[in-house]
Amino acid sequence: MAVLPALLVAAFLALSNLELCATSPGHSHAAFTADIAKTWCVSNPSLSYETLQDIQTYACNYVDCSAIYSGGPCFDPSNDLSHAAFAMNAYYQEQHDCFGGSGLIAITDPSYGNCYFVGREEMVSSTAALNTWCVAKPTVTDSVLQLNIDFACSRVNCSVIEPGGECQLPDTIMKHASVSMNIYYQSFGRTDLSCYFQSNGMVVIEDPSSGTCVYERVVPVMDAVPASIKINKGESRAFSATSIGLMVVWLITGCGLMAVAVYVMLWLRKENKGSVVEILVI
């Protein structure tokens, strides 16, 4: 009977073409690829002023920090956070070291006005790119940071930065702005636009969480390519057995139909050449 071998061949061809169908345009394979992207090193918003000063002093012993001195293009705003960020990035570009948990790798350019932060091209895996957070640029003024807090907290729950909240301390406007901006970013699709904040937001690929303050991270459904993706410390989200089964059935059905069509065409071609073929009609 011709039907049984036809189905067997179709199933074989469908399985052999499963990867081809899964990686066709419109289907993400992001978790297993890497892209070249520019990266910068900036200071973690949770750092104390003493730590920022120590890091700045250390970095400036090895790199040129004249841009943050009086009269330099990066002197203003004259605060420890912005100066330390410039020094840390300059050190990172030369030494490939972002100071462990004190620094964050950013994929958004922190440059502003005439102040230029040098960036370096690096291979950034798509898995790392799925782990993103939004923080305030270290060069943003306090008045603008407050506007960002007001905007974000009018649309999301910012109780974590209120008195008694897990992220109240250290009680700095930079820390509170970064936490609230990240909650907004995670709640509204984790896009470049949701971390824009009039060019005051910055996307980082390292977790800014410290102590009891955990920066939220939400994985959109479209990003859930691997079977298990880290969400937060100690948490994971995985595909269910049902969803995996439905995906396999969909792929086999789509590719299998194509394989059956090809097989039938080859069979009919053989018949036209004089071969005798019995077709069973059910």
Side-chain angles (χ1 to χ4, degrees), residues 23-42:
T23 55
S24 61
H27 295 80
S28 174
H29 224 300
F32 310 103
T33 61
D35 295 314
I36 296 178
K38 270 195 173 183
T39 60
W40 295 263
C41 174
V42 295

Side-chain angles (χ1 to χ4, degrees), residues 46 48 69 72 99 164 170 178-179 183 189 202 212 214 216 218 247 267:
S46 301
S48 66
Y69 299 152
F99 297 88
S178 293
V179 171
I183 297 174
M202 180 170 53
T212 60
V214 177
E216 290 188 13
V218 177
M247 289 189 334
W267 196 276

Side-chain angles (χ1 to χ4, degrees), residues 7 10 32 44 46 67 76 114 119 134 155 182 188 193 220 223-224 261:
L7 291 176
F32 310 103
N44 191 312
S46 301
D76 291 321
N114 294 324
C134 178
R155 290 160 175 79
N182 181 67
F188 288 91
L193 183 60
D223 286 346

Side-chain angles (χ1 to χ4, degrees), residues 103-152:
L104 301 173
I105 301 296
I107 54 177
T108 302
D109 189 352
S111 302
Y112 65 98
N114 294 324
C115 179
Y116 176 65
F117 279 61
V118 177
R120 61 188 293 253
E121 290 189 341
E122 257 193 70
M123 294 295 293
V124 177
S125 70
S126 296
T127 301
L130 288 177
N131 293 276
T132 57
W133 295 262
C134 178
V135 297
K137 288 184 178 180
T139 54
V140 180
T141 62
D142 288 355
S143 59
V144 174
L145 289 175
Q146 187 59 57
L147 291 175
N148 291 340
I149 294 174
D150 295 341
F151 173 81

